[in-house]
Amino acid sequence: MAVERFPIEAGHIMMFARAIGEDDPAYYAAMSGDQPVPAPPTFVQASAQYDPDYILRPKIGQKWFGSGRTESGTAGGGSGGGEGKAIGSGLHAEQHFTYHQPLRAGMVLTATTRDGDRWEKEGRRGGKLMFGETITDYHDANGELVITARSVGVRTERAVEQEG
Amino acid sequence: MLDASTKVGDVHELAIVDDLTRTQIVQYAGASGDYNPLHSDEPFAKGVAGYPGVFAHGMLTMAMTGRLLVDLAGPEGLLSYGVRFKSQVWPGDTLTATATVTEIADGVLDLSVVTTNQRGEEVLAGTASVRIPG
């Protein structure tokens, strides 16, 4: 993921705060006009909104792998797989943030991502678990580091219903 | 809120959600931009991915747990926050976050962070470092 422009907006912070059950008025300053507006600790995850290629968002004019007339718009109907299963089967195993300076509404970030380690583990019910690490650096408009995020994703070799 | 009287071993707890709704999961999808149908699309989650139903984004649990850290350290007091997602969180779940002070040195306080569901199962475990407020 590379994000060229991630504007930190008070209204976006308010929506995020609502979604996570955070009622501290500081996060609702879009309505009061108070300053500064802090961002919640995991807010940079919402940079996905500004990634034009983000895979877990439907794209206008393209087939989506979630359900519509059928259980998956890209699997050709019915259970059993296709692209949708592959995309949907990755799970989030770990997430780590290091905070270098406070994140507030009005800042504009860039996000640059690099791959970290890759490793494998035997699953509890057999089948390989494949782990991969992604590191994202968020910089402000002056090029100063604001937050470093490290994400670990895991993919299963076999689908859940075939394991049991 | 943490302060100068905070000691190693102090435990802080916050009920972060009572009876998690599918709608809250949808709210999080909308705010974060993660529209993976595993989290909001029952026919896909069951029929294609093979799960019993939709389940919450791990990042929603991490974000809700983060509210406890903000309560303790203020909105700009965090230095680091990292977790492992240990078990899935389902609609109807009730979660409690617990932060235990593990170390205090040079104005920085380390916490171990655990979030459990109504059955006492850990759904998230990790650590955080915060600046001691004040």
Side-chain angles (χ1 to χ4, degrees):
Chain A
M1 181 182 74
V3 174
E4 286 179 20
R5 193 168 191 279
F6 173 27
I8 309 302
E9 294 172 340
H12 193 186
I13 289 172
M14 179 179 76
M15 288 172 60
F16 194 92
R18 284 179 177 152
I20 68 171
E22 173 60 84
D23 62 2
D24 186 325
Y27 298 108
Y28 293 83
M31 289 194 284
S32 67
D34 290 348
Q35 296 280 342
V37 190
T42 65
F43 183 74
V44 289
Q45 197 71 11
S47 61
Q49 299 277 18
Y50 294 89
D51 176 359
D53 302 319
Y54 186 58
I55 199 163
L56 296 174
R57 178 182 65 243
K59 307 291 185 308
I60 295 164
Q62 291 177 27
K63 288 277 190 190
W64 173 239
F65 68 97
S67 70
R69 277 192 295 271
T70 58
E71 286 171 342
S72 171
T74 56
S79 318
E83 186 197 337
K85 186 174 228 159
I87 298 171
S89 72
L91 291 177
H92 202 169
E94 292 180 37
Q95 182 68 41
H96 304 266
F97 295 106
T98 307
Y99 304 96
H100 307 285
Q101 52 166 307
L103 182 62
R104 297 171 175 176
M107 293 168 75
V108 178
L109 304 185
T110 59
T112 49
T113 293
R114 55 203 152 93
D115 286 339
D117 289 342
R118 296 253 176 278
W119 66 97
E120 292 183 357
K121 230 164 92 174
E122 220 37 57
R124 267 176 294 188
R125 297 192 215 155
K128 234 171 245 153
L129 299 174
M130 290 159 283
F131 293 86
E133 199 177 51
T134 306
I135 296 142
T136 305
D137 292 315
Y138 294 90
H139 289 91
D140 68 12
N142 301 319
E144 301 288 336
L145 196 55
V146 180
I147 291 176
T148 306
R150 182 166 63 87
S151 169
V152 178
V154 59
R155 253 166 222 293
T156 50
E157 198 174 40
R158 291 189 248 170
V160 168
E161 71 269 28
Q162 292 167 339
E163 277 191 7
Chain B
M1 197 84 167
L2 304 166
D3 56 34
S5 70
T6 300
K7 304 179 302 296
V8 170
D10 283 1
V11 178
H12 299 271
E13 210 175 83
L14 182 69
I16 56 170
V17 68
D18 177 16
D19 187 4
L20 176 69
T21 62
R22 289 167 183 82
T23 302
Q24 184 172 358
I25 297 173
V26 169
Q27 277 184 291
Y28 184 77
S32 69
D34 179 347
Y35 297 98
N36 191 334
L38 280 179
H39 304 304
S40 59
D41 182 339
E42 208 84 34
F44 176 89
K46 286 186 179 170
V48 180
Y51 288 97
V54 296
F55 54 93
H57 307 72
M59 289 308 295
L60 172 55
T61 304
M62 184 178 191
M64 292 193 296
T65 302
R67 281 162 35 207
L68 172 59
L69 302 174
V70 169
D71 283 357
L72 293 174
E76 300 189 341
L78 267 176
L79 298 170
S80 69
Y81 175 30
V83 304
R84 266 190 313 132
F85 302 107
K86 301 190 70 176
S87 191
Q88 272 145 336
V89 171
W90 305 96
D93 278 359
T94 290
L95 304 180
T96 304
T98 306
T100 306
V101 179
T102 55
E103 198 175 332
I104 304 174
D106 304 325
V108 175
L109 203 143
D110 294 336
L111 299 153
S112 88
V113 182
V114 172
T115 297
T116 54
N117 64 19
Q118 67 279 13
R119 290 179 297 278
E121 298 157 349
E122 288 188 9
V123 295
L124 169 153
T127 57
S129 293
V130 305
R131 236 177 266 112
I132 297 171

